[in-house]
Amino acid sequence: MGIYIEHISYLTMGDGPIVQEGAIRVEGQKIAAIGAVEKEPGDTVISGRGKIALPGLVNSHNHAAMVLLRGYADHLPLMRWLTEMIFPAEERLGGEDVYWGTLLAHLEMIKSGTTSYADMYFFLEESIWALEESGMRASLALGATDGDGKGDEKLAATLSLHREFQNHLDGRLRIMFGPHAPYTCSEPFLRKVAAAGQEHGIPIHIHIAETLQEIEIIEKSKGKRVIPYLYDIGFFDAQVLAAHMVHVNEAEMDLLKEKNVAVSICTQSEMKLASGIAPVTKYLEKGIVTGLATDGASSNNDLDMWEEMRATSFLQKVALMDSTALLPYETLSMATLGSARAMYWGDEIGSLEPGKKADIVLVDLSAPHFCPRNDLLSHLLHCGKGGDVDTVLIDGKVLMEKRRMLHLDEEKILYEAEKRAKVLLQL
């Protein structure tokens, strides 16, 4: 017995920008067939009339439990925001705070069509419990610096988590290293992380080139810009997911391409913190794997990938004074297969193809903003909203149907998150 989605339009993201019609059949965790597919006896039928199926959106850089800090410390530049407000608040975090904050983030992501994400935060075991309960898919990284003299301890903790939890939850969980940034981690620590990443085949999730201040800090201390610095110390010899990557020149992009570094763009966070405009179109032109992400809700302030797609497309057009920059399919691809590849997970998720994981979202096209349907691909990018997501499957399981969450207690999650945020922020 499987799941049969009938009378559905779909965009596979695997074979170009063609909206097709047919059916999708799911068996177990995977897509069994798509297109001219027959229903089999015992299949659960989901009607796709008036909807379009997409691969689940993939948020390739997040700090999920930071939803508890949503709206806190707004309107500050990044370094003041981090050092004066966020870091002190995070020191008060406990494991249960992270658990409920992560569940709130999962609720928000599922309801807006995000099925997978890459996270960097603390209390990973509590984050794993939240994943187990929600049914989401994630690559989790323990955020780490070594200024406190505990770098080796944090490195060992990640290795232990990898041994214990890699590919658990029916394959929905992966573990990454999470050194915070080049300006908060020493060179010896970064070298150790890179060596461990290579030795154990564990990808590294890190913030790089986010602000001009970061570039200046590294130039002053190392005598070179941050990308050449990391290249020279062998950091990019491991698999690296580099978040933000705003201040990167063309010669540095060639180094990234040489080392197959993956990039995750967080446009709205970068706009809000006035960090700058990432050279997205250049990354794509050079064939650098490029994904899209929201960053944490404290600097965005939500986890809606639809908003992120639209903002990214529009901002690139303004930055380049070119209305043809970053067209709808390119942007949608960044939020699906591009982000999946950036998380080193593109072999299993990010497109609707037989044999891939059944992470599928159905978007309801009945809203006025989709009418008339002159160009459905354009409408998805320019008109689509998180609230248009009707049904969500992750790993072949229906987690939301007709906007109703099937497995999470939404009321309890909202209550617990509200209560804990008040204590955490001393409101």
Side-chain angles (χ1 to χ4, degrees):
M1 295 187 295
I3 296 173
Y4 184 76
I5 306 172
E6 62 180 2
H7 308 303
I8 188 74
S9 298
Y10 58 88
L11 186 63
T12 70
M13 304 310 301
D15 58 4
I18 303 170
V19 177
Q20 303 174 70
E21 295 184 1
I24 303 172
R25 189 168 183 280
V26 173
E27 280 188 2
Q29 299 174 317
K30 296 183 179 181
I31 297 170
I34 185 166
V37 183
E38 296 295 326
K39 179 169 68 74
E40 296 193 8
D43 281 352
T44 299
V45 177
I46 296 175
S47 174
R49 290 189 187 277
K51 302 178 180 68
I52 185 169
L54 303 173
L57 304 180
V58 181
N59 188 340
S60 51
H61 176 66
N62 200 347
H63 311 285
M66 283 185 80
V67 290
L68 295 179
L69 306 181
R70 193 195 317 264
Y72 174 70
D74 276 353
H75 314 301
L76 292 173
L78 175 68
M79 292 302 184
R80 283 190 59 202
W81 175 80
L82 268 179
T83 59
E84 297 178 18
M85 305 298 288
I86 298 302
F87 286 164
E90 287 178 333
E91 288 178 3
R92 298 191 290 270
L93 277 171
E96 287 196 13
D97 299 320
V98 169
Y99 169 76
W100 288 106
T102 302
L103 275 179
L104 177 60
H106 290 180
L107 180 64
E108 183 176 353
M109 286 191 279
I110 292 169
K111 295 193 77 167
S112 55
T114 293
T115 57
S116 306
Y117 70 104
D119 203 51
M120 180 196 294
Y121 217 54
F122 319 113
F123 297 101
L124 258 59
E125 292 199 19
E126 284 79 358
S127 296
I128 292 169
W129 299 342
L131 272 178
E132 184 174 17
E133 185 166 345
S134 73
M136 282 201 76
R137 184 184 310 282
S139 286
L140 303 181
L142 178 64
T145 61
D146 66 325
D148 56 2
K150 296 181 179 179
D152 289 347
E153 180 181 323
K154 295 169 187 176
L155 187 61
T158 294
L159 287 170
S160 177
L161 287 163
H162 185 267
R163 285 191 296 270
E164 186 173 358
F165 293 112
Q166 178 74 352
N167 290 319
H168 276 217
L169 305 182
D170 296 322
R172 290 186 286 108
L173 171 62
R174 292 184 179 180
I175 302 295
M176 287 179 158
F177 286 113
H180 175 259
Y183 62 91
T184 55
C185 296
S186 70
E187 181 177 327
F189 183 60
L190 292 173
R191 287 180 181 271
K192 286 180 181 179
V193 173
Q198 287 180 272
E199 179 182 353
H200 299 282
I202 303 175
I204 300 168
H205 185 175
I206 184 173
H207 306 84
I208 301 177
E210 186 174 0
T211 65
L212 287 172
Q213 189 173 358
E214 175 189 338
I215 303 297
E216 293 168 2
I217 289 170
I218 299 300
E219 278 191 309
K220 185 175 180 180
S221 62
K222 303 297 179 182
K224 60 188 75 172
R225 287 167 59 92
V226 65
I227 299 298
Y229 159 60
L230 293 172
Y231 180 93
D232 289 345
I233 67 171
F235 189 77
F236 295 140
D237 292 337
Q239 292 179 314
V240 174
L241 166 57
H244 299 294
M245 300 295 280
V246 175
H247 301 285
V248 180
N249 62 38
E250 195 152 352
E252 292 165 346
M253 290 181 206
D254 291 336
L255 298 180
L256 300 175
K257 177 61 177 174
E258 176 193 332
K259 294 295 187 178
N260 297 313
V261 175
V263 172
S264 179
I265 306 299
C266 308
T267 297
Q268 290 189 114
S269 176
E270 291 147 13
M271 290 168 64
K272 185 187 174 198
L273 294 169
S275 298
I277 303 174
V280 176
T281 58
K282 283 287 188 182
Y283 289 138
L284 296 175
E285 287 170 9
K286 287 185 174 290
I288 293 169
V289 172
T290 306
L292 200 61
T294 61
D295 205 353
S298 182
S299 62
N300 185 299
N301 286 19
D302 61 33
L303 304 179
D304 189 336
M305 287 286 286
W306 298 90
E307 291 182 11
E308 201 68 39
M309 285 190 281
R310 187 161 47 248
T312 300
S313 176
F314 287 178
L315 187 60
Q316 290 298 306
K317 296 175 193 299
V318 171
L320 299 171
M321 294 302 290
D322 179 2
S323 63
T324 69
L326 209 54
L327 295 174
Y329 184 75
E330 291 178 297
T331 313
L332 285 161
S333 185
M334 288 172 61
T336 51
L337 192 54
S339 278
R341 288 171 173 163
M343 289 168 57
Y344 301 94
W345 219 331
D347 58 332
E348 290 192 313
I349 61 173
S351 59
L352 301 181
E353 300 177 67
K356 281 200 164 184
K357 298 290 188 178
D359 292 3
I360 305 168
V361 300
L362 306 187
V363 179
D364 185 351
L365 301 174
S366 65
H369 51 260
F370 285 122
C371 181
R373 295 180 194 170
N374 296 327
D375 185 337
L376 191 49
L377 190 61
S378 175
H379 286 358
L380 285 170
L381 177 66
H382 299 129
C383 311
K385 308 177 193 307
D388 296 321
V389 176
D390 175 88
T391 297
V392 174
L393 286 76
I394 301 178
D395 226 30
K397 296 181 176 65
V398 181
L399 300 189
M400 182 175 78
E401 187 171 16
K402 297 179 180 178
R403 297 294 300 165
R404 184 172 69 88
M405 299 298 300
L406 302 184
H407 302 290
L408 289 179
D409 186 338
E410 188 167 352
E411 185 177 348
K412 183 173 178 59
I413 292 169
L414 296 176
Y415 169 79
E416 289 286 348
E418 190 74 40
K419 178 180 71 174
R420 291 170 186 284
K422 282 183 167 56
V423 174
L424 178 65
L425 303 180
Q426 303 173 350
L427 297 177

